[in-house]
Each structure stands twice: as C-alpha cells, then as structure tokens.
Amino acid sequence: MASYRIIETNKKGQPRIKIIVEYGYDENGKRLRKIKIATLKKLDESNIINAIAQFEKSLGMEQQTFGNTKKITFSQFSEKFMSDYVAVELKVKSRNTYENYLNNGLLEFFGMMKMHKITSTQINLFFVEQKKIKAGSIYEKFAMLNTMFNRAIEWGYIEVNPCAKATKPKRKKTRRINYYTEEQIKQLLHVIPKLHIKHQLQIKIALYCGLRMAEIAGLRFESLDFQNNSIYVDKTLQYDKINKQFFLDTTKTGESRVVYAPQNLMSELKDYVEKKKIKLAKLGEKFNPIYTKNNKPIYLVFSKDNGFPNHPDRMSIQWRDIVKKYNLPYITFHGLRHTFASYMLSKNVNIKVIQEQLGHANIRETLDTYSHIDTSQKQKASDLFSNL
C-alpha cells in the first residue's frame, strides 16, 4: 500500500511529495514501512504516480505483496485506517467522529480479533449488544465498519468484507426538528437579558441569524460589518482531539456567505467587541490566541478572557444549563437555528432568502429540512378555501 502527501518545496522551489509504502507487519506485529521524499518537475497526477511506481520498483514491489497479513488485528488495522485514510482524506471533524466510534464499542468488541477471521455473525452480535445497551450512532458505526473492511480488501489484508452478509441496522427515523414557536420565542426573549453578555449574544446570533454553533465560535473581529449590519461567515472553529489543538476550518459546505443581522444586535456586538479589544490590549504577554498559518494572532469574538478559544461544544452545554435554570421548553442549541428558519417561514419570508442566510448548499436542502409545518400553519392553509 502506497500513500503520499505534498510537503514544502525544495530550495529551488520545486514541488516535493513524501511517499509512504507499507507492506504489512513483521512477526512481532510491527508495521513494515518505507519512506522517500521525491522531488517532481511538476505537481500533477502523472508525475506523482510515476514517482510512487519508481519507489515501489526500487523496493522490488512491482507486484505488491503484504507480509503476515493474517496476523493483523482489528486494533492494529484501525490505527492504520485512521492514519493512512481518515487523517489524509477526511476532515478533522470526521476523524474525531470515527475516533469516538472506535472508543465507544468497536475496539472493545473487535480489538483483538484477527481481521481475516471476523465474520458477519460476529458483526451481527456486536450490533445486537449495541441495541441492548441503547448505544448511539449504530447505523453510522456499521457504515464505518463497512468502509474499514473495504479498505482492508483494497490494501490486501482480507479478501471478503464480512459486512456484505451482515444484517445492516436500520437508520433511525429523524426526529421531528426541534424549534420554538412564536410564543416560546417571546418566553426566551424575556430570559435573555438575565444572562451573561457573551451568552446573550451567542443565543441572539443563532436565533436572529441562523448561524451554526461552530460558525458562531469561529467569528473574528473582522467578520462583523457594523456599517452594513452584516456578518461574514467563512470559518468554523474546530478542535482536533488527536493533536489537541484548535484551528479554523471552512464552513460545512465549504462556501462563505454574508448574513444580515438586526441593527440592535449589531450595536450590541459592536459595544462588546470594543470593550473586548481594550481588555485584550491590556493583557500583554498573557494574551494567548491561536494563530494563522502565517503566524498572525486570531481575534475571536467569543473566547476566554485571555483570547484562547472556548470549545465550540461549550456553547451547547451552557445552553442546556440556561434551559434548565429558567424552565424553558427544551430544544438543543442547534434548535435555535431551526427556530430562525421556522419563524421566517411562518412570516412568509422568501425561501431563497432563508436558504442563503442558513448557508444551505441548495434550496432543495432547505425545503427538505423544513418540510415540517406546525399545526396552526396547516389549519390556516386549509382555511384559505373557506374564503372562496
């Protein structure tokens, strides 16, 4: 199995790649690996493939073989899967999710089993046990297992995917979208002034603008346009559990957008940011932000007092505490985004406007997501014929 990643150019500015060739495990279960840095004339698919082929040929691997493939356990293969596929091909958020799946049942059950000996019966038994303990993400764990075994076939470790004959768990029907009605929104608005200013603003941005939690966490000072009462949404704050570091990533769709906000909210944000700038300027060496790739400090709108990020999930935890303390109807923090969309729809706002505010890839996604209409709206719709 050969993989590569692009690295920095050499002193002459020529592109380079790091080639990693793996060919199984030795008798002690240690991964067999060879590495080479290759300099290319041009960074394109043809040159990359040729460089990899030449390296494999130099190792006598024209016919790719794998040593001791039958010795590899599920636990050993999961490490390879995470490092050579997930870390290379998928975003950090997906890597964190896969890591959670492994640590919440998969490794405990399959860990010491040899990959080539895992059967469809054992997979079925695993999911029976998962259902008994009411574990979450059962359908998604099956999908991950299926991907892992397919990758193991591709890499030459096994010949058959046991998931093919296993009983695929049924995907749970999506719960009805949770959101506040107009009366419940008024109840929330009565509570908001009692909260810490940071929580007030985070809730209002979700409720009035429909931003996702990670988008709110990723807002920087320059994201706010006070002259036009708008917010530029182009980044999300993410946390890499493996490397234990925060970083800014793209939005869910990879696209940026401009979201318009009520003037009162923008005035509150302006006051909040101006006060925060003064506090941060006084910190001196205690200022502890995260940095861009160009080593420039990132000024997050919402952060700890020293400028360091709060975990995006912290917003959700604080929201649950607020709901409980003030006896509000329970919805998730993400439900505030749904509340924004539902309220806009109830007021007959153009669906295209709602789609653009939410940052959905297309209008079909908006229509499918918010196909629910509450009972009062359905009754009003049916009453229209009474006026004919």
Side-chain angles (χ1 to χ4, degrees):
M1 158 60 186
S3 61
Y4 76 94
R5 65 183 179 86
I6 300 169
I7 59 175
E8 69 279 359
T9 60
N10 63 14
K11 292 181 178 180
K12 295 181 179 180
Q14 295 173 303
R16 300 192 301 167
I17 60 172
K18 182 177 183 179
I19 305 172
I20 304 168
V21 173
E22 298 190 14
Y23 45 101
Y25 290 78
D26 64 18
E27 59 185 10
N28 297 316
K30 184 178 179 181
R31 185 180 298 169
L32 300 173
R33 170 186 288 177
K34 295 288 185 181
I35 297 174
K36 178 182 179 181
I37 304 299
T39 301
L40 309 178
K41 292 182 178 179
K42 184 179 180 182
L43 191 61
D44 59 23
E45 185 178 9
S46 176
N47 284 331
I48 291 171
I49 292 173
N50 184 57
I52 293 173
Q54 290 298 321
F55 184 38
E56 289 182 337
K57 185 176 181 179
S58 70
L59 298 173
M61 294 180 61
E62 295 92 334
Q63 299 294 322
Q64 192 172 13
T65 59
F66 298 86
N68 299 301
T69 58
K70 291 187 176 182
K71 287 183 177 291
I72 190 169
T73 64
F74 180 88
S75 179
Q76 290 171 327
F77 182 78
S78 69
E79 292 180 14
K80 178 179 178 60
F81 174 77
M82 293 297 291
S83 64
D84 294 359
Y85 169 65
V86 177
V88 175
E89 301 291 340
L90 306 180
K91 286 194 172 186
V92 167
K93 188 173 183 179
S94 297
R95 190 169 77 196
N96 289 342
T97 299
Y98 278 21
E99 192 78 23
N100 284 336
Y101 292 164
L102 286 169
N103 294 328
N104 286 282
L106 290 174
L107 283 176
E108 183 180 354
F109 188 91
F110 296 106
M112 299 309 295
M113 296 182 188
K114 297 291 191 294
M115 283 292 289
H116 75 287
K117 288 187 176 181
I118 296 175
T119 66
S120 57
T121 300
Q122 290 169 327
I123 291 174
N124 287 339
L125 178 60
F126 169 73
F127 286 107
V128 167
E129 293 185 0
Q130 287 277 290
K131 289 175 183 176
K132 281 183 180 178
I133 63 173
K134 296 182 179 179
S137 305
I138 291 178
Y139 180 91
E140 290 78 10
K141 287 175 183 175
F142 183 89
M144 179 182 176
L145 273 180
N146 188 52
T147 300
M148 289 181 72
F149 285 117
N150 282 335
R151 192 63 55 174
I153 291 173
E154 180 182 330
W155 291 346
Y157 289 99
I158 60 175
E159 296 180 0
V160 179
N161 183 344
C163 288
K165 292 186 178 180
T167 303
K168 187 176 182 179
K170 292 182 180 179
R171 186 192 289 273
K172 286 186 177 180
K173 292 183 178 179
T174 304
R175 294 180 181 177
R176 183 178 177 84
I177 289 176
N178 53 42
Y179 65 99
Y180 280 156
T181 62
E182 188 168 348
E183 287 304 312
Q184 291 168 332
I185 292 174
K186 292 177 181 177
Q187 185 180 348
L188 171 60
L189 294 179
H190 181 71
V191 168
I192 286 179
K194 303 175 184 178
L195 308 177
H196 186 282
I197 184 60
K198 180 196 290 186
H199 303 155
Q200 288 186 40
L201 295 174
Q202 289 172 339
I203 290 170
K204 286 182 178 181
I205 293 172
L207 181 65
Y208 296 167
C209 307
L211 267 66
R212 300 178 178 91
M213 192 160 57
E215 292 173 341
I216 297 173
L219 293 177
R220 290 90 63 214
F221 290 171
E222 64 267 25
S223 304
L224 307 177
D225 182 346
F226 300 115
Q227 185 174 352
N228 296 303
N229 293 327
S230 64
I231 301 173
Y232 183 59
V233 184
D234 65 331
K235 300 292 182 183
T236 58
L237 180 67
Q238 302 292 339
Y239 180 69
D240 185 339
K241 289 184 178 179
I242 295 177
N243 295 318
K244 300 186 182 305
Q245 62 182 19
F246 290 95
F247 66 99
L248 291 181
D249 199 2
T250 60
T251 62
K252 186 176 181 180
T253 61
E255 300 290 334
S256 59
R257 68 188 189 278
V258 174
V259 169
Y260 292 91
Q263 185 174 351
N264 289 344
L265 172 57
M266 293 305 295
S267 296
E268 291 173 7
L269 281 167
K270 185 176 182 180
D271 182 62
Y272 178 80
V273 167
E274 287 177 350
K275 289 179 180 177
K276 185 162 188 172
K277 285 180 178 178
I278 294 172
K279 290 180 180 178
L280 293 178
K282 293 179 179 179
L283 288 176
E285 294 183 356
K286 293 182 179 179
F287 180 47
N288 185 32
I290 56 174
Y291 291 83
T292 66
K293 292 180 180 179
N294 297 325
N295 206 34
K296 293 183 179 180
I298 296 173
Y299 291 86
L300 295 170
V301 174
F302 302 110
S303 66
K304 295 181 180 179
D305 290 340
N306 64 354
F308 194 73
N310 291 115
H311 197 290
D313 291 346
R314 181 67 182 161
M315 221 177 293
S316 179
I317 295 169
Q318 291 165 336
W319 167 252
R320 286 200 296 268
D321 291 341
I322 290 167
V323 167
K324 184 176 180 180
K325 180 177 180 180
Y326 294 98
N327 198 30
L328 293 166
Y330 179 75
I331 62 172
T332 62
F333 189 89
H334 194 74
L336 295 172
R337 171 176 162 88
H338 293 319
T339 298
F340 162 81
S342 299
Y343 183 72
M344 293 292 103
L345 284 168
S346 72
K347 298 303 179 181
N348 298 315
V349 174
N350 187 295
I351 189 70
K352 186 65 178 176
V353 172
I354 299 172
Q355 176 218 332
E356 291 177 355
Q357 285 275 118
L358 293 173
H360 283 165
N362 54 65
I363 203 164
R364 172 53 57 188
E365 182 182 355
T366 310
L367 291 169
D368 289 345
T369 304
Y370 298 101
S371 58
H372 70 283
I373 301 176
D374 63 33
T375 303
S376 62
Q377 286 178 270
K378 291 177 181 178
Q379 288 173 342
K380 289 178 181 177
S382 61
D383 287 343
L384 291 174
F385 284 93
S386 300
N387 299 323
L388 292 176

